[in-house]
Amino acid sequence: MPERDAPRIADHGLVGDLRTAALVATDGTIDWFCPGRFDAPSVFASVLDPDAGAWRLGPDDPEARSQQYYHPETNILVTRFMTERGVVEVQDFMPVLRAHDPDHHQRLVRRVVGLRGSVDLYMHMAPRPDYGETDPDLDVHDGVVRFADGDVHLALSSTADLEVEDHAATARLALGAGEAVLFVLEVLAPGEESRGCCEDDVEELFDATAAFWRGWLAQSTYTGRWREWVDRSALTLKLLCHEPSGGIVAAPTTSLPETIGGSRNWDYRYVWVRDAAFSVYALLRLGFTDEASAFVRFLSERLGEAADDGDEAERLGPLRVLYDLDGGIPHERELDHLAGHRGSRPVRVGNQAVDQLQLDVYGELIDSVYLYDKHSRGISHDAWTDLTRIVGWLTDNWDRPDAGMWEIRGEPRTHTTSLVMCWVAVERMMRIARRRGLPGDLSALAATRDAIYERVMTDCWNDELGAFTAFAGGDVLDAGTLLMPMVKMVAPDDPRFLSTLAIVEERLVTDSLVLRYDAETFDDGVGDGDGDEAGEGTFSLCSFWYVEALTRSGRLDDARLALEKMFTYANHLGQYAEQVGLNGEQLGNFPQAFTHLSLVSAVINLDRSLSR
C-alpha cells in the first residue's frame, strides 16, 4: 500500500445522508466519519491524526494520478484514478432515498468501476472508534466484517473477499474494464443484521440517491450567471442539514486549524444559531422552504426549554449561542491523545462559546424568522409569543458587553456588530407585527430601536478614522461592519458607510480576500504568545460580504472581479473551508456553511444588479 502524506484540508470532498457526513480525500481515503450523526465520536479521523482511523481504497500504485468531481447535480462523489495500466473510479455516496424517510438505513457506499485496462486495487479499512482511542476487535462471519463503536455497531460487506488483520479489514484485487466491486459500511443497531450488498441493490441505491439530490436541487429558483457555483453551495448547505432535528451544523468537522501548527482549532459540528439563521436566509432566497420550516421548529423547541432555564437564561439570554443536535449544551474538552491536523493542537470536542453571551444572534435569528414569515407559511402564535419574550429580554440587555460574533475569549466588550444586530432584531419584530397585525407594544419597540441606532451612530463611529469601528469608543476595524447596508441599518451610499468601506479596503483587504479584523490590535483572547493571532488567514465569508458591499454601493465591475477572484480560492469541487492562508491554502473546518451561504447572497445580489 503506497505511503501517504498528510492530506490538506482542501483535498477532500464531502458525502452525507442528512444525518452525518464523511470526508473523502483525493487519494480515495475516507479521513473523517462520525457514524450516526455529525456530533458523534468519529470512527475515521486520520485528518486529525494518521493513527486515528481511515478507510483507504485505490490503486496499488504510488504513481497513480487522481481527479474528483461530483456526479452532476448530486452529492455523489467520484474519484478517478489514472495509472499506467488503466483507469478506475471510486463512487462514494451515502444513500438518501426520500425526504424524511422513516425507514432510513445509514450506509456508506463505495463502488469501484473499471473503465480502461486492468488496475490492481487495495482496500484497507482501519476503524478507530471514539476519536481514535479504541482498536476494535473485528469479527468476520459469512464474509461480513463487524465491529462495535459504543452503542453503534458497524458492518462492512463487499463483493470482494475480505480479510482481517491487525484491527483492520483488507482486500486486494485486479479490476478490468467493465468490472465493478462494492464495499458497503452499514451503521446498525445492536443485534441488527447486516443487509449485505450486491450490484443490483447498489445500482438502485445510486439511482435513487441521484434522483433525490436532483429533485431537491430542481426546487432552486436561481437561474443566473453563476448557476454552477450556487448549485454546489446549495448542495453543500443541504449536506449540513440534520434532517431528524431540523438543525444545521456550522461544519461537519472539528479542530481543522485556522493556522497550521496553531491552537485555533474549534469544533463546528453543532448548530450555531447565527450560522444556521444565515443558512436559512440563503436557502429561502433560493426557494428552499422545507429547511427553513425545520429550523424554525428546532428553534421553537430551544425557546420552550429556555423558559425553564432560570438564572442561566438571565445571564446568557434565552438562547445559547450553539446547541448539539439534541438541543443540549456541548461543553468543550481537549483530546490529548490526538496529534492534530499536521501537528495543530489541541484537538477539541464541544465548544466553549456555548457559555458566552453573544447578542448578535438575536438579530440573525429574528431576521431569518421574518424572512420565513414573509416567504413561507408564516409563524404560529406560539412562535410569536416566544419571540416577544426574547425581544423583551433583549430590550433590557442590548447594551451589555458581550463576546461578539467572533466569539472573543477575553473580556466582554461592546461590539458594534452586536449592537447592529440587536437593532435588526427589534426592527424586524416591528415589521412582522405590522405586516401580520400581531400584538406588541410598537411604541416601546420603536424607542429601543432608536436608542440602539443612536448608540451605533455616536459611540461606534470614529470621526478621526472615518469609519465604524469594532467596538464602541474604539479605533479597531472589523469587517463585520460590511453587514450594515445588507441588514438595512444604513444606506449603501451613505457617506459613513462608503468611508468605512474605503478604510476596510485599505487595511483589511488584499486581492479580494478580507481579514475579519486586524488581529494584532483586536485582541480576541485566544492568542498564546506564539504569533498565532498575527498569522490568521482571511475569512472567506468576509470576502463574500465585501463582494456584496461593493455591489450595493454601485461598484459592480469591482464586485464582479472580486467574486471571480474568490472563485479561484475554492477547492477543486467548488467548496470552501473557513479561511484562506497567506499561501492560498484553505484553513479551518471544512466545508463551512457560513462561507457558502455568503457566496449565495453575494452572487444573487450581484446578478440582480447586473441585470437591471
Side-chain angles (χ1 to χ4, degrees):
M1 187 165 56
E3 290 296 319
R4 185 173 189 246
D5 294 330
R8 295 187 306 167
I9 292 170
D11 289 342
H12 292 91
L14 190 73
V15 297
D17 66 348
L18 309 182
R19 288 151 182 84
T20 190
L23 287 185
V24 185
T26 53
D27 68 355
T29 301
I30 294 180
D31 278 315
W32 179 255
F33 177 59
C34 300
R37 49 189 261 172
F38 293 106
D39 55 358
S42 65
V43 69
F44 304 130
S46 53
V47 73
L48 296 177
D49 188 309
D51 297 323
W55 187 358
R56 301 188 64 182
L57 178 59
D60 194 3
D61 179 356
E63 303 300 321
R65 295 171 293 113
S66 67
Q67 292 185 338
Q68 279 185 328
Y69 68 95
Y70 279 106
H71 201 64
E73 300 179 324
T74 78
N75 281 315
I76 297 172
L77 184 65
V78 181
T79 307
R80 284 201 161 198
F81 294 97
M82 283 71 74
T83 75
E84 290 298 319
R85 295 186 55 204
V87 179
V88 297
E89 69 179 26
V90 180
Q91 301 165 354
D92 285 304
F93 66 101
M94 297 187 71
V96 184
L97 307 184
R98 63 188 68 85
H100 309 288
D101 186 356
D103 301 317
H104 180 75
H105 180 60
Q106 190 166 94
R107 285 160 287 193
L108 184 48
V109 177
R110 316 200 73 182
R111 178 167 66 173
V112 193
V113 179
L115 302 176
R116 303 181 66 187
S118 178
V119 179
D120 292 330
L121 296 165
Y122 68 88
M123 189 285 299
H124 185 270
M125 188 190 75
R128 298 293 180 266
D130 197 18
Y131 302 110
E133 285 215 281
T134 304
D135 292 329
D137 292 323
L138 276 58
D139 176 62
V140 185
H141 183 68
D142 291 336
V144 176
V145 177
R146 295 185 67 118
F147 62 98
D149 176 15
D151 293 331
V152 177
H153 289 234
L154 296 100
L156 175 67
S157 55
S158 176
T159 55
D161 292 332
L162 298 174
E163 296 182 359
V164 170
E165 55 181 320
D166 297 328
H167 304 285
T170 63
R172 289 187 176 274
L173 62 151
L175 202 64
E179 297 177 339
V181 63
L182 310 173
F183 300 93
V184 178
L185 182 64
E186 301 173 88
V187 181
L188 306 172
E192 183 180 358
E193 289 299 318
S194 167
R195 303 184 187 186
C197 67
C198 71
E199 180 61 39
D200 289 344
D201 287 345
V202 168
E203 187 73 31
E204 281 187 29
L205 291 175
F206 184 99
D207 291 344
T209 301
F212 169 82
W213 289 117
R214 287 173 178 156
W216 180 82
L217 189 61
Q219 300 172 74
S220 175
T221 57
Y222 180 78
T223 58
R225 295 168 177 80
W226 295 284
R227 184 169 180 176
E228 185 174 341
W229 287 97
V230 170
D231 283 356
R232 182 47 52 196
S233 287
L235 285 163
T236 301
L237 287 170
K238 181 63 173 174
L239 276 176
L240 303 183
C241 294
H242 184 253
E243 190 177 71
S245 69
I248 305 172
V249 298
T253 56
T254 180
S255 300
L256 295 183
E258 296 179 8
T259 305
I260 299 299
S263 62
R264 296 169 182 266
N265 318 316
W266 320 115
D267 192 347
Y268 277 12
R269 298 171 300 150
Y270 306 110
V271 184
W272 262 257
V273 172
R274 174 191 308 109
D275 298 46
F278 272 119
S279 296
V280 166
Y281 164 75
L283 291 167
L284 277 172
R285 295 198 69 181
L286 295 174
F288 300 107
T289 59
D290 184 59
E291 293 73 21
S293 299
F295 179 60
V296 168
R297 185 186 72 245
F298 178 90
L299 283 175
S300 297
E301 293 169 356
R302 306 293 78 75
L303 293 172
E305 295 160 358
D308 302 321
D309 208 9
D311 293 340
E312 281 295 88
E314 186 58 34
R315 183 175 71 88
L316 297 175
L319 273 180
R320 290 295 184 99
V321 174
L322 64 121
Y323 298 92
D324 68 18
L325 295 168
D326 295 322
I329 307 303
H331 293 290
E332 185 175 299
R333 62 189 176 95
E334 296 181 1
L335 302 180
D336 296 333
H337 65 283
L338 292 177
H341 177 80
R342 292 160 65 187
S344 306
R345 302 183 71 183
V347 172
R348 296 178 171 97
V349 296
N351 200 294
Q352 184 180 314
V354 78
D355 294 314
Q356 291 182 344
L357 173 67
Q358 296 179 23
L359 291 167
D360 70 288
V361 300
Y362 296 98
E364 287 114 11
L365 162 66
I366 296 178
D367 196 27
S368 68
V369 173
Y370 160 73
L371 291 167
Y372 171 74
D373 184 74
K374 182 178 179 181
H375 297 294
S376 190
R377 303 168 191 169
I379 62 172
S380 67
H381 167 75
D382 289 343
W384 178 250
T385 301
D386 288 336
L387 291 179
T388 301
R389 177 167 50 83
I390 284 178
V391 173
W393 180 89
L394 193 63
T395 296
D396 296 331
N397 290 274
W398 62 265
D399 57 350
R400 286 173 57 184
D402 73 340
M405 67 165 52
W406 304 128
E407 302 184 340
I408 63 171
R409 297 195 172 200
E411 282 296 312
R413 286 177 277 186
T414 302
H415 291 79
T416 299
T417 50
S418 293
L419 292 173
V420 168
M421 297 313 295
C422 285
W423 178 90
V424 169
V426 178
E427 198 274 341
R428 299 307 190 264
M429 279 292 285
M430 296 176 67
R431 288 196 192 195
I432 298 171
R434 285 175 175 148
R435 196 177 68 84
R436 293 275 307 279
L438 294 170
D441 189 342
L442 293 180
S443 296
L445 289 174
T448 301
R449 177 200 62 189
D450 296 349
I452 300 172
Y453 182 88
E454 287 302 319
R455 181 82 190 277
V456 171
M457 294 301 159
T458 54
D459 293 355
C460 301
W461 170 259
N462 185 311
D463 202 45
E464 183 177 343
L465 184 63
F468 290 106
T469 54
F471 316 111
D475 59 2
V476 178
L477 289 177
D478 180 355
T481 56
L482 296 176
L483 286 169
M484 294 176 74
M486 300 179 210
V487 299
K488 304 188 185 306
M489 188 177 199
V490 299
D493 58 355
D494 186 303
R496 286 191 172 196
F497 177 71
L498 294 177
S499 177
T500 300
L501 176 59
I503 298 297
V504 167
E505 285 184 294
E506 178 184 328
R507 300 191 182 182
L508 299 182
V509 179
T510 174
D511 191 42
S512 83
L513 299 173
V514 183
L515 293 164
R516 55 179 174 168
Y517 47 66
D518 184 341
E520 293 182 345
T521 58
F522 190 92
D523 184 18
D524 63 8
V526 180
D528 52 12
D530 62 358
D532 192 16
E533 58 268 47
E536 181 176 75
T538 57
F539 263 58
S540 293
L541 76 98
C542 295
S543 300
F544 287 116
W545 285 350
Y546 173 56
V547 172
E548 190 159 347
L550 291 172
T551 299
R552 290 177 181 269
S553 62
R555 294 167 54 185
L556 301 187
D557 289 342
D558 291 340
R560 189 165 190 173
L561 179 59
L563 179 66
E564 294 291 349
K565 285 182 177 181
M566 274 304 299
F567 289 156
T568 69
Y569 289 103
N571 82 338
H572 57 290
L573 297 167
Q575 292 170 326
Y576 292 86
E578 184 175 39
Q579 299 186 28
V580 175
L582 184 63
N583 62 355
E585 182 176 1
Q586 297 223 31
L587 299 169
N589 285 302
F590 174 88
Q592 194 205 30
F594 224 153
T595 303
H596 284 278
L597 64 91
S598 60
L599 180 156
V600 170
S601 182
V603 164
I604 288 175
N605 279 283
L606 179 55
D607 228 331
R608 183 174 58 193
S609 296
L610 289 170
S611 298
R612 286 174 180 164

